[in-house]
Amino acid sequence: MLSFDDLKNAVADGSVDTVLACLVDMQGRLMGKRFLAQHFVQSAFEETHCCNYLLATDLEMATPDGYAATSWQSGYGDYMMKPDLSTIRPMPWLEGTVMVMCDVLDHHEHPIAHSPRAILKKQVARLEEMGYSAMMATELEFFLFEKSFEEIAKSGFRDLTPISGYNEDYHILQTTKEEHVMRPIRNHLYAAGLPIENTKGEAEAGQEELNIKYSAALDCAEYHTIAKHAVKEIAWQQGHAASFLPKWSADRVGSSSHVHQSLWKDGSNVFFDPSDELGMSDVMKSYMAGLIKYAPDVTYFLAPYINSYKRFQKGTFAPTKSVWSIDNRTAGFRLCGAGTKGVRVECRIGGSDLNPYLALATQLAAGIKGIEEGLSLAPATQGDVYDDQGAAEIPQTLRDAAKTLSGSEMLREALGDDVIDHYTRAATWEIEEFDRIVTDYEIARGFEKA
């Protein structure tokens, strides 16, 4: 990490010539501007501006109607991007470049309520009022492919050959062959100030996992976002495509993003109670009960696209039921570190395409509500949860998740009606776009036989 004085010195000696000022959009991507570093340290460090459609668009940068925050009728005005100078860090894989995260504000310097960074900050503030802080970690899973983004796009996204030919879960030989991509990912991200722990092969050909040490909630979201961005850029520099699409093939395992979480106070994990058989405090039990009760409400923020729901299949390690277990990977929530000071809960529902700010914020909102309501935690589920007919299910389609999101009293209370209406519109737009497309599957299935 760099202080603002460090940055000014680096600009003066010529080692830094470019500053990326970035916001996080609804999809969890970095958006912003590349500043001549001299201009940034002279004046742009105070503020810059962007079109407000950046927080009312989709993956294709379309301008859907139906948003209250902005529209063609209102003329698509500006937002203020306010650099958070505590977030300046080098981007070692880009020569002479540093980045800074920005808060998104209106012209009166009030936070934009539906900005992902503002949404997470609001839930962190709620926790602080209760005397707690959240420590969280996300796992990033993705696929590496033999060819580049450009080559794959020219093939119509049909020439999808993973970088390896077999399941490489924990496989050292195969992952050695991928070190020309994975080694710079680890080292560059560490040099950028991210507490990288490891990478490993995941449970499919060409599938990778990147693990980052747990940290404060806002830091965790920013580590995830920066790491995801870096993985794509570094893979591209090496001539490969890296994809965070959860389910790129019906015959392949999907990619997830598990969220580990615990609450802390005065440097200690308040989830830990040494007198409990599993080391779980009453606070942890109520928090987990909130996660389970409100899992359907927050599913959209863990699975935001049509494709997200394709990975929820039996026997794939992707959970379909809102229950908890003790170290059992078939459940939606897994107790990890049982009986130790590191006890925590892992949410296994999220896919690799989630926006970490929104996912973490809504996990916190559900857990906070569980504490406020004093919810009791049901006994742990055992065995194969896929076959548990009595376990509550999470929404199995984006259509169902959007309906549940819109009707969530818990989220409307925690995030605000305007925020829930905004993201409900994002969900329904994805559905509308998908519904109007004729897929290869439909043509192949019905061209002759219908």
Side-chain angles (χ1 to χ4, degrees):
M1 300 295 290
L2 302 173
S3 69
F4 189 48
D5 285 340
D6 292 334
L7 175 58
K8 288 189 287 188
N9 292 334
V11 173
D13 68 25
S15 58
V16 170
D17 56 50
T18 301
V19 177
L20 299 182
C22 301
L23 63 83
V24 176
D25 72 0
M26 296 165 65
Q27 291 72 33
R29 301 174 296 186
L30 295 179
M31 296 286 168
K33 303 177 182 180
R34 278 180 159 85
F35 280 96
L36 182 72
Q38 290 87 341
H39 176 69
F40 183 85
V41 299
Q42 289 168 3
S43 62
F45 71 91
E46 294 183 315
E47 67 178 78
T48 186
H49 298 86
C50 67
C51 179
N52 61 19
Y53 99 112
L54 287 179
L55 293 179
T57 187
D58 65 3
L59 289 168
E60 298 287 355
M61 306 300 288
T63 52
D65 60 9
Y67 285 110
T70 190
S71 65
W72 288 111
Q73 185 176 8
S74 64
Y76 284 108
D78 274 358
Y79 285 145
M80 178 193 298
M81 294 171 61
K82 182 74 172 178
D84 179 348
L85 299 181
S86 71
T87 67
I88 302 171
R89 67 178 71 245
M91 302 188 87
W93 61 96
L94 299 176
E95 184 178 359
T97 300
V98 303
M99 72 164 291
V100 61
M101 300 297 293
C102 297
D103 288 308
V104 186
L105 312 175
D106 64 18
H107 294 300
H108 301 288
E109 299 199 24
H110 298 139
I112 300 302
H114 55 271
S115 162
R117 203 164 190 256
I119 289 172
L120 179 53
K121 281 187 169 185
K122 182 176 180 179
Q123 300 312 305
V124 169
R126 290 181 67 200
L127 267 181
E128 289 175 348
E129 290 176 0
M130 300 169 69
Y132 302 130
S133 61
M135 300 298 284
M136 309 183 86
T138 55
E139 303 172 23
L140 287 83
E141 294 181 4
F142 56 94
F143 278 85
L144 285 179
F145 292 89
E146 283 187 352
K147 295 185 177 180
S148 67
F149 286 123
E150 293 78 9
E151 291 173 303
I152 291 171
K154 288 177 182 177
S155 76
F157 297 95
R158 288 179 171 83
D159 189 11
L160 295 174
T161 305
I163 198 169
S164 65
Y166 52 83
N167 183 326
E168 57 184 89
D169 202 15
Y170 296 94
H171 209 283
I172 296 300
L173 173 60
Q174 178 54 46
T175 52
T176 296
K177 303 174 189 177
E178 298 152 8
E179 275 288 83
H180 64 292
V181 179
M182 301 308 297
R183 183 169 180 261
I185 286 173
R186 292 191 306 272
N187 291 336
H188 284 323
L189 285 174
Y190 183 76
L194 277 64
I196 300 301
E197 290 187 339
N198 62 69
T199 58
K200 62 176 283 291
E202 252 300 321
E204 184 54 88
Q207 191 177 34
E208 317 289 343
E209 181 179 301
L210 171 66
N211 290 301
I212 305 173
K213 186 177 180 179
Y214 69 89
S215 56
L218 186 63
D219 289 338
C220 174
E222 293 182 354
Y223 295 158
H224 183 118
T225 300
I226 294 165
K228 184 175 178 180
H229 181 86
V231 164
K232 291 183 179 182
E233 287 192 336
I234 294 169
W236 172 81
Q237 289 172 341
Q238 298 296 325
H240 299 286
S243 179
F244 289 81
L245 187 69
K247 191 75 171 176
W248 65 270
S249 171
D251 302 323
R252 305 278 186 164
V253 169
S255 292
S256 64
S257 182
H258 303 151
V259 179
H260 295 255
Q261 46 202 302
S262 57
L263 300 187
W264 290 60
K265 185 175 184 178
D266 299 328
S268 297
N269 182 2
V270 298
F271 275 10
F272 178 57
D273 180 354
S275 66
D276 183 79
E277 181 183 5
L278 296 173
M280 300 170 65
S281 69
D282 290 340
V283 170
M284 181 179 191
K285 292 173 182 177
S286 291
Y287 183 96
M288 285 179 62
L291 294 183
I292 293 167
K293 177 179 178 179
Y294 295 108
D297 298 49
V298 306
T299 295
Y300 165 74
F301 294 107
L302 298 169
Y305 306 109
I306 295 288
N307 181 265
S308 309
Y309 296 81
K310 302 297 176 69
R311 59 175 278 271
F312 294 143
Q313 296 179 17
K314 180 178 178 179
T316 63
F317 292 106
T320 59
K321 305 290 180 67
S322 180
V323 294
W324 76 283
S325 66
I326 303 169
D327 202 17
N328 180 336
R329 285 181 165 86
T330 67
F333 298 92
R334 181 169 70 118
L335 178 67
C336 300
T340 73
K341 292 181 179 180
V343 67
R344 63 195 183 278
V345 58
E346 174 193 38
C347 173
R348 298 180 55 79
I349 298 170
S352 53
D353 54 350
L354 59 72
N355 178 330
Y357 294 83
L358 303 177
L360 269 57
T362 52
Q363 287 292 285
L364 293 177
I368 289 171
K369 191 64 172 176
I371 294 173
E372 290 177 341
E373 294 180 338
L375 296 181
S376 297
L377 185 64
T381 300
Q382 298 180 344
D384 187 348
V385 177
Y386 293 117
D387 290 331
D388 187 346
Q389 300 302 313
E393 291 194 347
I394 57 173
Q396 296 298 297
T397 67
L398 180 58
R399 201 177 304 273
D400 289 341
K403 183 178 179 180
T404 307
L405 169 66
S406 180
S408 173
E409 294 182 5
M410 183 276 291
L411 285 177
R412 288 185 177 278
E413 177 186 333
L415 275 59
D417 288 332
D418 54 342
V419 172
I420 296 306
D421 291 343
H422 190 88
Y423 282 93
T424 297
R425 178 55 189 142
T428 57
W429 172 254
E430 289 293 325
I431 296 165
E432 290 168 15
E433 283 291 275
F434 181 80
D435 285 348
R436 72 180 183 85
I437 298 298
V438 178
T439 65
D440 290 351
Y441 168 85
E442 295 168 86
I443 296 171
R445 188 174 179 85
F447 189 84
E448 176 181 344
K449 303 179 186 73

